[in-house]
């Protein structure tokens, strides 16, 4: 086993997932909703806490795993979550109820993100979490950067695409989109960009306030 593999396994096994999130994860797997890893969840919770997030937007609800992790780091936040699968949204509502999170702290929107996002208010969120329709990831991140306030952060899990992004032979549309997103954000003066290799990977983009003339 390589040092990288040993480190990845150690980190994966060291993370303790709260019971309510573990139950939501089991339900997500049953539904085929592909939850984020505990490592990415824990890092997202930390970033939500460090941001002192009060308003979070989640693009792709799944069965509530990512939302629960984000709310764990932001106990005063209100989460708005978009998904076009009513069954997933119902599972997420159940998971939040199980975690004893008041209904007043969540807002679930049924619909296609591409239709909902253009109608949302600019600079209204502290964190935008993008985990839906990977073929549209660039469009969703563009919306996310419009919707976060200056100093707010857009998070994109699965950015390593199961190892395909690092393999130059892989040229499918989703892999190319992830590569383009990484390259463009690394070169952008409008964001600070960093990539975590924990779990399936997490791209972190913090919006920088434009300097006045």
């Amino acid at each position: 086993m390589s040092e990288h593999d040993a480190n990845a396994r150690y980190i994966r096994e060291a993370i303790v997932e709260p019971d309510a999130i573990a139950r939501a994860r089991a339900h997500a797997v049953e539904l085929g909703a592909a939850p984020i890893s505990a490592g990415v969840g824990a890092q997202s919770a930390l970033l939500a806490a460090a941001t002192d997030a009060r308003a979070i937007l989640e693009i792709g609800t799944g069965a509530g795993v990512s939302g629960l992790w984000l709310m764990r780091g932001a106990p005063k936040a209100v989460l708005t979550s978009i998904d076009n699968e009513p069954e997933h949204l119902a599972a997420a509502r159940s998971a939040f109820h199980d975690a004893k999170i008041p209904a007043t702290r969540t807002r679930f929107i049924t619909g296609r993100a591409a239709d909902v996002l253009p109608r949302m208010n600019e600079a209204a969120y502290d964190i935008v979490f993008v985990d839906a329709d990977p073929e549209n990831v660039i469009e969703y991140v563009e919306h996310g950067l419009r919707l976060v306030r200056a100093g707010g952060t857009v998070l994109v899990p699965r950015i390593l695409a199961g190892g395909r992004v690092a393999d130059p032979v892989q040229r499918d549309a989703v892999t190319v989109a992830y590569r383009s997103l990484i390259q463009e954000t690394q070169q952008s003066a409008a964001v600070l960009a960093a990539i975590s290799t924990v779990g399936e990977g997490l791209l972190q983009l913090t919006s920088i306030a434009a300097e006045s003339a």
Side-chain angles (χ1 to χ4, degrees), residues 148-152 189-192 206-212:
V148 292
R149 61 170 175 77
V191 298
L192 290 174
T206 296
S207 176
I208 299 174
E211 294 184 5
S212 58

Side-chain angles (χ1 to χ4, degrees), residues 72-169:
R72 178 174 171 80
K76 298 179 181 178
V78 173
L79 173 75
T80 299
S81 192
I82 305 167
D83 204 296
N84 65 353
E85 293 286 347
E87 187 177 18
H88 292 178
L89 289 165
R93 287 190 182 94
S94 177
F96 275 72
H97 182 267
D98 182 40
K100 296 181 171 53
I101 294 175
T104 53
R105 290 183 54 207
T106 57
R107 176 186 178 215
F108 295 104
I109 300 175
T110 305
R112 294 176 63 250
D115 297 329
V116 175
L117 293 171
R119 303 196 299 267
M120 305 190 83
N121 293 331
E122 293 186 10
Y125 297 92
D126 302 301
I127 288 179
V128 174
F129 191 86
V130 180
D131 189 23
D133 309 326
E135 64 275 11
N136 296 321
V137 66
I138 293 176
E139 176 187 353
Y140 292 166
V141 168
E142 288 174 349
H143 278 297
L145 290 172
R146 176 181 65 84
L147 296 172
V148 292
R149 61 170 175 77
T153 298
V154 175
L155 300 176
V156 187
R158 312 181 205 275
I159 192 65
L160 302 178
R164 297 195 308 277
V165 166
D167 182 355
V169 174

Side-chain angles (χ1 to χ4, degrees), residues 11-12 15 17 25 36-46 69 196 198-202:
I11 293 169
R12 184 170 61 250
I15 296 170
E17 193 161 52
R25 177 179 303 283
I36 60 169
S37 67
V40 166
Q43 188 153 19
S44 300
L46 184 147
W69 271 115
S196 168
V198 168
E200 63 273 34
L202 182 66

Side-chain angles (χ1 to χ4, degrees), residues 20-67:
I21 301 181
R23 288 191 292 271
R25 177 179 303 283
H27 197 181
V29 172
E30 291 174 2
L31 291 175
I36 60 169
S37 67
V40 166
Q43 188 153 19
S44 300
L46 184 147
L47 290 166
T51 306
D52 190 24
R54 303 301 175 94
I56 299 173
L57 173 62
E58 181 182 47
I59 304 170
T61 309
V65 173
S66 52

